[in-house]
């Protein structure tokens, strides 16, 4: 009986994977327009009444943590720092029992102002996206002149003592790919752990091209022109999407997320929630499960149990992989910024 209860209290799929890592998108809006993520004119944003309120987000996180065995929650977007209630959401999630690990993925704009409030509210870790050290290349990649704000945000995160600080970088051929070794040196100097992410086909303008994307192998080759990289033992990777290498013997490390050329779907432990309350089993899922409608039917034990059941059923149907390599691969309708990267 005990064992049966335990199985029904977690998010399992038919491939035996268990989701313990929840990605919550807090908004689909953004103050940058990274070329690999959004078109210049932006997107048609989700309508306000469809967005979950701060209380609704915390309620869903509570259901995930107390009824479904979720242990880690990462807030993302769009740009999560644009959400006015972010510090309150982090604080309310930090007060949950059991307390989940809390992290944030951000472009860093505005972090200089909020880093210390976020830390005090209970944020454990942060990832800041930085693709270049050159302000002009930043303008070219993000279509905005805000490089200095990202750097100030990173500095503030470090001063506040948030650790580890990870720096996410997408390399684009002919634009910033030559910067890989320089970016890593810059991160090492500051004690940041850098993670290069292969560009994925999740942009609404369908600009992704397998033939021209910068692969993990190329990234490693470029880094090896300046550093000695030693693979970290596979058992230390667990379900982490990044493969990691010790840099010059360690202890500093660099990660590469090879979602396209070396997908890690077999070990995936993620479940995703969009800003409008849809569960997604994968970045590349083409189906979603609506929790918002159920949520708005009532605020009681019975409704929470029903939401947990809907969530479990959704995850049970998770596919084996994202399928980027399949000839029948179809890009999901929702772009990365609206799913939550
Ligand atoms: N706005 C925040 C940021 O940029 O960090 C959070 C959301 S963003 C979608 C999360 C991460 O996804 C960023 O590190 C970004 O570089 C990455 N990303 C966006 N589009 C991508 C794509 N097509 N392929 C790979 N990574 C992508
Ligand atoms: Fe905005 Fe992040 Fe997408 Fe860049 S990657 S446009 S910062 S959501």
């Amino acid at each position: 009986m005990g064992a049966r209860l335990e199985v029904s209290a977690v998010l399992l799929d038919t491939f035996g994977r268990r989701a313990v890592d929840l990605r919550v998108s807090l908004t689909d809006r953004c103050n940058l327009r990274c070329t690999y993520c959004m078109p210049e004119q932006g997107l048609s944003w989700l309508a306000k009444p469809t967005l979950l309120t701060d209380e609704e987000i915390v309620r869903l996180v509570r259901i995930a943590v107390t009824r479904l065995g979720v242990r880690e929650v990462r807030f993302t977007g769009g740009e999560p720092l644009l959400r006015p209630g972010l510090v309150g959401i982090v604080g309310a999630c930090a007060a949950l029992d059991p307390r989940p690990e809390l992290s944030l993925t951000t472009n860093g704009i505005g972090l200089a102002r909020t880093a210390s409030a976020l830390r005090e509210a209970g944020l454990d870790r942060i990832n800041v996206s930085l693709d270049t050290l050159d302000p002009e290349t930043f303008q070219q990649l993000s279509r905005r002149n805000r490089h200095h704000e990202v750097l100030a945000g990173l500095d503030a995160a470090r001063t506040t003592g948030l650790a580890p600080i990870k720096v996410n970088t997408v390399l684009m051929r002919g634009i910033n790919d030559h910067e890989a070794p320089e970016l890593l040196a810059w991160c090492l100097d500051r004690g940041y752990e850098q993670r290069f992410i292969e560009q994925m086909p999740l942009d609404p303008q369908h600009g992704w091209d397998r033939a021209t994307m910068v692969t993990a192998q190329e990234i490693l080759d470029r880094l090896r022109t300046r550093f000695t990289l030693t693979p970290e033992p596979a058992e230390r990777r667990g379900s982490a999407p990044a493969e990691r290498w010790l840099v010059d013997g360690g202890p500093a490390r660099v990660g590469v997320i090879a979602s396209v050329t070396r997908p890690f779907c077999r070990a995936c432990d993620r479940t995703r929630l969009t800003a409008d309350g849809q569960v997604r089993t994968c970045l590349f899922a083409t189906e979603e499960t609506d929790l918002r409608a159920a949520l708005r039917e009532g605020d009681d034990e019975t409704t929470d149990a029903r939401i947990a059941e809907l969530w479990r059923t959704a995850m049970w149907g998770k596919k084996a992989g994202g399928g980027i390599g399949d000839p029948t691969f179809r890009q999901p309708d929702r772009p990365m910024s609206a799913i939550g990267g």
Side-chain angles (χ1 to χ4, degrees):
M1 179 73 182
R4 242 179 48 220
L5 264 180
E6 216 171 90
V7 167
S8 69
V10 295
L11 292 171
L12 283 177
D13 66 38
T14 55
F15 301 93
R17 294 169 298 190
R18 182 180 159 194
V20 292
D21 180 347
L22 167 62
R23 308 266 144 157
V24 183
S25 172
L26 295 180
T27 175
D28 58 331
R29 291 175 187 250
C30 193
N31 39 17
L32 296 183
R33 294 285 182 274
C34 305
T35 52
Y36 49 76
C37 182
M38 258 196 219
E40 181 150 26
Q41 68 278 17
L43 296 160
S44 46
W45 311 121
L46 294 169
K48 186 104 196 276
T50 69
L51 291 178
L52 298 178
T53 64
D54 294 357
E55 293 71 28
E56 286 173 334
I57 287 169
V58 175
R59 182 172 159 205
L60 287 177
V61 172
R62 177 166 50 73
I63 291 171
V65 167
T66 60
R67 295 176 184 262
L68 299 169
V70 162
R71 295 196 288 251
E72 291 180 47
V73 180
R74 176 172 292 274
F75 298 108
T76 177
E79 178 41 51
L81 290 179
L82 290 180
R83 179 127 189 164
L86 174 63
V87 172
I89 292 172
V90 169
C93 292
L96 292 172
D97 182 19
R99 183 201 190 282
E101 278 264 309
L102 297 171
S103 55
L104 180 74
T105 299
T106 170
N107 64 24
I109 294 173
L111 189 57
R113 279 193 310 280
T114 47
S116 102
L118 284 166
R119 172 120 206 264
E120 273 162 34
L123 190 71
D124 297 303
R125 289 179 284 114
I126 195 158
N127 286 32
V128 179
S129 301
L130 177 68
D131 296 333
T132 175
L133 297 173
D134 174 35
E136 277 177 32
T137 309
F138 185 89
Q139 160 90 47
Q140 192 184 355
L141 273 171
S142 71
R143 304 189 181 101
R144 297 288 185 272
N145 180 18
R146 306 188 76 168
H147 189 243
H148 54 291
E149 294 175 69
V150 180
L151 299 189
L154 265 166
D155 269 349
R158 186 163 49 138
T159 312
T160 316
L162 278 166
I165 296 176
K166 293 186 182 164
V167 170
N168 288 359
T169 302
V170 176
L171 293 178
M172 300 293 282
R173 191 172 302 283
I175 299 177
N176 64 338
D177 52 338
H178 62 285
E179 280 192 66
E182 202 184 332
L183 272 160
L184 176 54
W186 188 87
C187 286
L188 293 174
D189 278 351
R190 288 157 184 80
Y192 305 147
E193 182 173 326
Q194 184 156 36
R195 292 145 48 103
F196 292 95
I197 310 174
E198 279 183 343
Q199 188 199 358
M200 292 179 270
L202 284 168
D203 57 319
Q205 60 276 35
H206 294 262
W208 183 84
D209 178 359
R210 179 183 283 277
T212 57
M213 61 162 280
V214 181
T215 64
Q217 192 55 54
E218 283 179 84
I219 297 167
L220 292 167
D221 290 346
R222 279 191 185 271
L223 295 179
R224 286 193 165 113
T225 60
R226 181 149 165 195
F227 303 98
T228 304
L229 303 183
T230 328
E232 211 180 41
E235 62 272 17
R236 295 209 49 193
R237 183 177 182 189
S239 57
E243 283 180 77
R244 293 196 299 197
W245 281 263
L246 294 175
V247 182
D248 292 339
R253 290 178 300 210
V254 62
V256 180
I257 303 185
S259 321
V260 178
T261 61
R262 295 209 280 251
F264 41 88
C265 306
R266 262 194 309 181
C268 181
D269 65 352
R270 292 189 181 169
T271 180
R272 296 174 180 274
L273 186 63
T274 64
D276 57 346
Q278 313 296 305
V279 164
R280 297 179 62 92
T281 57
C282 172
L283 270 177
F284 297 101
T286 47
E287 283 164 23
E288 303 182 337
T289 298
D290 183 17
L291 298 187
R292 187 184 72 236
L295 193 74
R296 292 182 179 172
E297 271 166 22
D299 191 358
D300 50 43
E301 277 286 310
T302 315
T303 319
D304 283 2
R306 163 141 178 74
I307 291 167
E309 191 52 43
L310 282 171
W311 206 327
R312 270 192 291 269
T313 307
M315 292 309 294
W316 187 250
K318 178 167 170 140
K319 298 213 167 86
I324 309 180
D326 300 347
T328 55
F329 174 74
R330 189 169 68 80
Q331 203 174 312
D333 293 334
R334 264 194 212 250
M336 173 80 125
S337 54
I339 297 170

